[in-house]
């Protein structure tokens, strides 16, 4: 049975993300003293005692024009409330009830959803008056609460139990499903493909995610740096041969390190990098009018050094006039500037208009399959003999370096170990020759390939 959703709502900086992190048991949402950190709604699997549900962290409620950034954030909260079976409304007990709290209490009452009122930050004498003040909102008895210290969790459990217990899935059944998912192979139709959308600020990442999903799931707009948290959304892509469950990660824009000064932006960047590292495929979104800037190349290098598969999405393609000439130039630039991922797929698209958007996921799944490629050891060693015959290894101090054997030791990315005498002396250029030879012979373009040279043990050495 599908778990029910509970939305956490309230003004900015009342502790919604802190409560979200406590309920999911992880620091998924960014938390900072700056008001308005959360801008998109974020979902997570929550557990409170024997209750299991999906908790939704929402942007802080603001009174603002609909077209303004705060107004667009408000729509994210409205959607969360519509989808939830209950709302947890947080007020700041230290600040007391404000006029904005009263406005939003009326909005929640009109929604018809059950509302649990938490007077957060109620620890100590300073919060006692605020708890009493919260009665004035007309939402029933407020719970004296501290999201930071965990006070009031048992009262929250009691309030949620009547709403959620009847609709929850048994824990044993869910655990069985989780165990089954762990046993699935990389190509299992049940295992979600983790795809991170990364790039510089204002490259169109959130717009692309919305276009793929077919809904305004992510907050977008002309302002650079709207996205702060890395938000994951589960989705199913209908491929030609099969359906692919996908977990999409929308990430904050990555600026040059020297320009990242504020603590909040540093947290956002760290969150985006973490999403890229834990993804399986990273889509680097670049601006067609300003392609392959230094920051784009640094992001691509980071992705490849982490061993992730790479797809380059060239966004804002609708603004380019001579598309054929631009495509040829960009392909040449990609091959020249990213030699560590020759043949990395370029998808020319417009997230705003939807042009060529259908080409992105076929490219993503293709590099994902290549990222999981496995080559048989006999085929590898047959190729190695031919490669050594074509270009013998160089000699060091009058003795030729010998490569005797090669085998693949892991996938994701494809990783090979070769037994090599004087391994430390083999030139980097010859190692590149071998890696490129593996790519060409076994049709593994674009993805990172790791070749480890291992010195064979000398049975006559001491020790």
């Amino acid at each position: 049975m599908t778990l029910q959703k509970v939305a956490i709502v309230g003004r900015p900086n009342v502790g919604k993300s802190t409560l979200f992190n406590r309920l999911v048991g992880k620091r998924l949402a960014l938390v900072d003293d700056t008001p308005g950190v959360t801008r998109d709604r974020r979902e997570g699997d929550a557990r409170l005692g024997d209750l299991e549900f999906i908790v939704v962290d929402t942007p802080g409620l603001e009174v603002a024009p609909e077209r303004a950034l705060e107004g667009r954030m408000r729509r994210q909260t409205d959607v969360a409330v519509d989808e939830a079976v209950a709302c947890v409304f947080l007020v700041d007990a230290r600040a007391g009830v404000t006029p904005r709290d009263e406005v939003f209490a009326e909005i929640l009452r009109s929604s018809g959803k059950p509302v649990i009122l938490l007077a957060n930050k109620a620890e100590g004498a300073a919060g006692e008056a605020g708890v009493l003040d919260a009665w004035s909102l007309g939402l029933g008895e407020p719970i004296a609460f501290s999201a930071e210290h965990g006070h009031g969790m048992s009262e929250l459990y009691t309030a949620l139990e009547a709403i959620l217990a009847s609709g929850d899935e048994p824990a044993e059944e869910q655990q069985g499903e989780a165990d089954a998912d762990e046993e699935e192979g990389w190509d299992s139709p049940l295992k979600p493909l983790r795809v991170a959308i990364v790039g510089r600020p204002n490259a169109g990442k959130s717009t692309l995610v919305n276009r793929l999903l077919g809904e305004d799931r992510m907050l977008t707009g002309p302002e650079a740096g709207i996205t702060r948290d890395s938000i994951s959304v589960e989705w199913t892509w209908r491929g030609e041969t099969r359906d692919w469950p996908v977990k999409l990660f929308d990430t904050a824009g990555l600026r040059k390190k020297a320009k990242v000064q504020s603590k909040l932006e540093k947290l956002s960047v760290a969150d985006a990098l973490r999403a890229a590292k834990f993804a399986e495929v990273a889509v680097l979104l670049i601006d067609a009018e300003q392609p392959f800037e230094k920051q784009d190349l640094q992001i691509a290098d980071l992705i490849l050094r982490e061993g992730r598969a790479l797809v380059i999405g060239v966004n804002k393609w609708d603004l380019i006039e001579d598309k054929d000439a631009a495509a040829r130039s960009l392909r040449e630039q990609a091959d020249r500037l990213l030699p560590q991922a020759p043949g990395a797929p370029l998808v020319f698209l417009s997230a705003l208009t939807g042009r060529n958007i259908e080409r992105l996921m076929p490219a993503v799944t293709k590099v994902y399959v290549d990222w999981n490629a496995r080559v048989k050891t006999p085929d590898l060693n047959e190729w190695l003999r031919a490669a050594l015959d074509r270009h013998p290894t160089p000699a060091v101090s009058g003795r030729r370096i010998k490569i005797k054997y090669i085998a693949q030791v892991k996938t994701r990315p494809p990783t090979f170990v070769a037994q090599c005498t004087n391994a430390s002396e083999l030139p980097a250029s010859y190692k590149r020759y071998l890696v490129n030879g593996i790519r060409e012979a076994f049709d593994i373009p674009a993805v990172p390939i790791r070749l480890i040279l291992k010195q064979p043990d000398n049975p006559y050495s001491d020790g």
Side-chain angles (χ1 to χ4, degrees):
M1 185 182 296
T2 303
L3 296 182
Q4 299 177 83
K5 292 184 180 180
V6 174
I8 304 174
V9 297
R11 293 187 291 109
N13 212 31
V14 293
K16 299 183 298 298
S17 294
T18 303
L19 175 57
F20 175 88
N21 287 342
R22 182 169 288 280
L23 289 172
V24 299
K26 302 175 185 176
R27 290 182 60 86
L28 292 181
L30 295 186
V31 176
D32 191 73
D33 292 335
T34 307
V37 171
T38 302
R39 289 176 169 175
D40 290 284
R41 67 187 191 274
R42 175 195 284 275
E43 298 182 357
D45 294 331
R47 181 188 291 269
L48 183 56
D50 59 352
L51 299 180
E52 296 184 14
F53 53 96
I54 295 171
V55 63
V56 186
D57 187 19
T58 64
L61 291 166
E62 296 270 18
V63 177
E66 190 172 334
R67 296 179 65 85
L69 175 60
E70 292 80 5
R72 301 198 303 274
M73 290 163 59
R74 164 77 182 280
R75 288 202 299 274
Q76 293 280 323
T77 300
D78 291 342
V79 172
V81 172
D82 288 342
E83 294 179 350
V85 297
C87 298
V88 176
F89 183 33
L90 267 69
V91 297
D92 187 335
R94 294 179 187 171
V97 172
T98 69
R100 277 191 293 174
D101 289 327
E102 294 173 349
V103 170
F104 298 126
E106 180 58 35
I107 292 172
L108 290 175
R109 268 197 299 271
S110 64
S111 73
K113 300 294 176 70
V115 178
I116 300 169
L117 177 59
L118 300 186
N120 193 32
K121 308 180 186 179
E123 62 272 26
E128 292 179 5
V131 176
L132 295 174
D133 197 17
W135 277 97
S136 65
L137 293 172
L139 293 173
E141 182 178 358
I143 297 173
F145 199 80
S146 171
E148 185 173 357
H149 300 291
H151 299 160
M153 295 298 285
S154 60
E155 289 84 356
L156 177 59
Y157 169 87
T158 301
L160 280 171
E161 185 180 23
I163 302 170
L164 298 176
S166 61
D168 270 355
E169 203 172 344
E172 297 82 5
E173 192 174 324
Q174 283 195 334
Q175 185 60 47
E177 289 179 8
D179 293 343
D181 190 52
E182 286 295 319
E183 294 172 3
E184 299 292 345
W186 68 268
D187 57 350
S188 164
L190 301 176
K191 180 182 179 297
L193 166 58
R194 298 193 299 273
V195 181
I197 313 294
V198 299
R200 291 183 285 123
N202 219 23
K205 298 180 291 298
S206 296
T207 304
L208 175 60
V209 171
N210 285 345
R211 178 65 66 174
L212 290 170
L213 298 175
E215 61 175 290
D216 290 336
R217 176 62 180 82
M218 299 298 169
L219 188 64
T220 62
E223 305 92 343
I226 289 178
T227 302
R228 286 173 169 170
D229 291 84
S230 295
I231 306 294
S232 65
V233 183
E234 295 192 1
W235 167 61
T236 299
W237 175 63
R238 313 284 180 189
E240 288 188 6
T241 58
R242 56 169 281 194
D243 291 347
W244 288 79
V246 179
K247 182 172 274 192
L248 277 175
F249 292 85
D250 183 23
T251 65
L254 298 170
R255 296 199 299 163
K256 293 180 180 177
K257 190 173 182 180
K259 292 184 177 181
V260 179
Q261 300 293 334
S262 71
K263 174 189 171 186
L264 180 54
E265 187 173 3
K266 289 178 181 178
L267 290 171
S268 295
V269 167
D271 205 29
L273 295 176
R274 187 162 51 248
K277 290 175 182 177
F278 283 99
E280 293 160 323
V281 180
V283 176
L284 171 59
L285 207 60
I286 65 174
D287 189 327
E289 295 186 304
Q290 299 173 313
F292 294 116
E293 292 197 349
K294 184 177 180 180
Q295 182 67 357
D296 294 324
L297 299 175
Q298 289 180 336
I299 296 170
D301 185 60
L302 169 74
I303 292 166
L304 295 168
R305 280 190 285 109
E306 288 294 333
R308 307 302 97 180
L310 173 67
V311 173
I312 300 171
V314 184
N315 193 25
K316 307 181 184 180
W317 195 239
D318 52 310
L319 304 179
I320 303 300
E321 293 186 6
D322 190 348
K323 291 179 170 53
D324 289 340
R328 287 194 297 271
S329 174
L330 287 168
R331 179 72 268 172
E332 182 275 329
Q333 289 181 63
D335 290 340
R336 174 169 51 85
L337 298 171
L338 293 171
Q340 64 272 53
L346 269 66
V347 181
F348 306 100
L349 56 88
S350 170
L352 186 63
T353 68
R355 180 189 181 100
N356 294 340
I357 205 78
E358 72 282 355
R359 299 182 182 178
L360 181 62
M361 285 306 298
V364 167
T365 52
K366 172 64 169 63
V367 298
Y368 177 65
V369 170
D370 290 343
W371 192 60
N372 286 277
R374 184 170 292 280
V375 183
K376 295 179 180 178
T377 301
D379 295 340
L380 267 174
N381 284 280
E382 183 178 341
W383 161 81
L384 178 62
R385 285 191 292 272
L388 294 174
D389 287 343
R390 281 193 303 273
H391 294 287
T393 55
V396 176
S397 301
R399 302 186 65 178
R400 189 168 298 282
I401 296 174
K402 295 181 180 179
I403 303 177
K404 300 180 178 180
Y405 179 80
I406 188 171
Q408 184 174 0
V409 293
K410 67 185 288 288
T411 60
R412 307 163 65 89
T415 302
F416 304 86
V417 171
Q419 297 284 345
C420 177
T421 60
N422 297 321
S424 61
E425 303 292 337
L426 190 71
S429 58
Y430 197 86
K431 189 174 179 180
R432 282 196 300 272
Y433 160 69
L434 294 175
V435 168
N436 290 332
I438 292 172
R439 287 189 190 281
E440 184 177 349
F442 302 105
D443 191 24
I444 317 176
V447 301
I449 289 181
R450 292 174 174 166
L451 177 60
I452 300 168
L453 301 175
K454 185 177 180 182
Q455 187 98 8
D457 294 332
N458 184 352
Y460 300 105
S461 65
D462 293 332

